[in-house]
Amino acid sequence: MRCRRITQRAVARIAARPGGGLPKAMKSEPEAPSAPSERRRLRYAVFDLDGTVLGPSQRFLPGVAEGLHRLRAQGLRLLLVTGRSVGSFRSLDPSAPELRAFDDPLLLSNGNVLWDRGAGSVTVSRALPAELAARLASADVADTVTETASGLIAGSRRAALAYARAYGVRREDIVTRALAADHRGEDAVAVTVFGAEADLTEQLTGLPHDLDRISAFGALVVRPEHTCKAAAVHEHVRRRYGESHGLSATVAFGDARNDACLLGSAALGVAVQGADQVAVRHSDELLSGPLGEYLARFVADRAIAAAGIDRDGRVLRCPHR
């Protein structure tokens, strides 16, 4: 399988390489062939879930389990960061080898929620403004599903059914607002709005938030301001592993708009086959074939050199942080 380089970023790299077209006085000195520096060595592999390692039928893509095992054998820590809620993630088979390959905690809700499967704990970083629910209700926006730390609350039966179909969640695991007594008083960490033809500008004016459009099932997802996968991974590896340059030691894989910051901030960003164009523009590599085949030949110590990237000392390029 071959990979296609992303033209704009490739041009910039070519200009920065020895003999790549810069004025002579500005050219970099050639690097002596040696082992990668400690800061350039990849130590983390971060994956999106839906559309990246998980197919539309809620099944993991061929070769992914073996590929993840290969990466772990090379000493990489495997992290999962997804837009899914705890509830929708629990709908997956916990015994799947692909899921068992990832370190705890998992980064859910675009990294805003950390779920430690071993400890059974859920940690929320940020909550939506309490006023949001009232504004949506007053604007007669009923087809919503609100994510809290402990569950999913639907504003209508139609929204509950749409969410269940989109994420493979059991319908009975989504409670309607009238039956949500156990969740009253809990902070909302995301609100999914179905059938929203507008962008909710009027309802959200003055409220700090981030907004994702999930075109695959016609929904808008409102999240707390500054929620994004890149910032979440950066902070997670700093706290858990004491890693101050985590993203510069990370290869990231994704396919959607909400993966763009992560793909653009990692040492190596890989957009999988069929990725959204926004994700592609922020990536270093675009796969032209299955992810499993790419992972089968991936060698961590050679990956950055093979892609022609030199990002030592690079800071996180993320507007959410």
Side-chain angles (χ1 to χ4, degrees):
M1 183 190 69
R2 300 179 64 185
C3 301
R4 179 168 68 81
R5 299 285 163 79
I6 309 306
T7 304
Q8 290 180 332
R9 299 180 74 178
V11 169
R13 289 189 207 106
I14 291 171
R17 294 177 193 165
L22 290 178
K24 189 171 183 179
M26 296 175 61
K27 290 180 181 178
S28 304
E29 291 298 322
E31 286 188 9
S34 60
S37 69
E38 183 65 16
R39 289 175 66 179
R40 286 187 66 188
R41 185 171 64 85
L42 292 178
R43 292 185 287 279
Y44 309 95
V46 181
F47 291 82
D48 167 54
L49 181 63
D50 295 277
T52 300
V53 296
L54 191 69
S57 61
Q58 305 292 302
R59 293 183 179 179
F60 286 94
L61 298 175
V64 167
E66 296 82 0
L68 296 178
H69 178 75
R70 264 192 98 248
L71 267 57
R72 285 179 65 94
Q74 294 177 50
L76 293 177
R77 291 187 178 276
L78 306 187
L79 307 179
L80 185 70
V81 55
T82 171
R84 284 191 177 227
S85 66
V86 174
S88 62
F89 193 90
R90 282 179 172 149
S91 66
L92 301 173
D93 179 6
S95 66
E98 294 86 352
L99 294 184
R100 289 187 279 118
F102 291 104
D103 285 10
D104 279 333
L106 305 173
L107 284 73
L108 308 182
S109 197
N110 274 13
N112 189 37
V113 175
L114 272 66
W115 179 31
D116 191 318
R117 294 170 294 180
S121 63
V122 176
T123 304
V124 176
S125 298
R126 300 180 180 89
L128 283 166
E131 185 184 347
L132 174 63
R135 287 201 188 179
L136 293 176
S138 65
D140 200 26
V141 178
D143 291 338
T144 64
V145 174
T146 300
E147 175 190 345
T148 72
S150 64
L152 298 166
I153 307 167
S156 68
R157 292 182 178 180
R158 180 166 54 186
L161 183 59
Y163 194 98
R165 287 175 174 171
Y167 289 108
V169 181
R170 296 188 310 169
R171 170 61 186 84
E172 54 267 32
D173 290 337
I174 307 173
V175 300
T176 59
R177 197 169 300 282
L179 301 175
D182 291 343
H183 301 277
R184 286 174 188 165
E186 290 188 352
D187 290 329
V189 296
V191 176
T192 301
V193 183
F194 292 92
E197 299 187 6
D199 60 3
L200 300 180
T201 299
E202 183 176 347
Q203 292 85 357
L204 298 174
T205 298
L207 297 180
H209 70 281
D210 287 333
L211 193 65
D212 288 332
R213 182 175 293 277
I214 313 297
S215 55
F217 48 89
L220 295 172
V221 182
V222 187
R223 301 187 189 277
E225 189 176 33
H226 305 312
T227 298
C228 89
K229 294 183 176 183
V233 170
H234 174 81
E235 184 63 16
H236 177 64
V237 297
R238 184 187 70 81
R239 289 185 176 182
R240 187 166 182 84
Y241 307 114
E243 178 73 75
S244 58
H245 298 283
L247 284 169
S248 65
T250 293
V251 53
F253 300 85
D255 76 306
R257 289 171 178 261
N258 64 339
D259 297 315
C261 281
L262 178 62
L263 297 177
S265 298
L268 176 62
V270 180
V272 299
Q273 190 176 29
D276 182 275
Q277 286 304 305
V278 175
V280 170
R281 286 199 300 271
H282 285 75
S283 303
D284 302 294
E285 304 275 3
L286 171 61
L287 301 189
S288 59
L291 174 63
E293 292 182 10
Y294 179 82
L295 297 179
R297 58 185 180 82
F298 183 89
V299 178
D301 287 345
R302 300 175 187 168
I304 292 181
I309 302 169
D310 185 355
R311 300 187 184 180
D312 278 0
R314 179 177 180 180
V315 298
L316 175 63
R317 299 190 303 110
C318 176
H320 298 93
R321 183 174 173 271

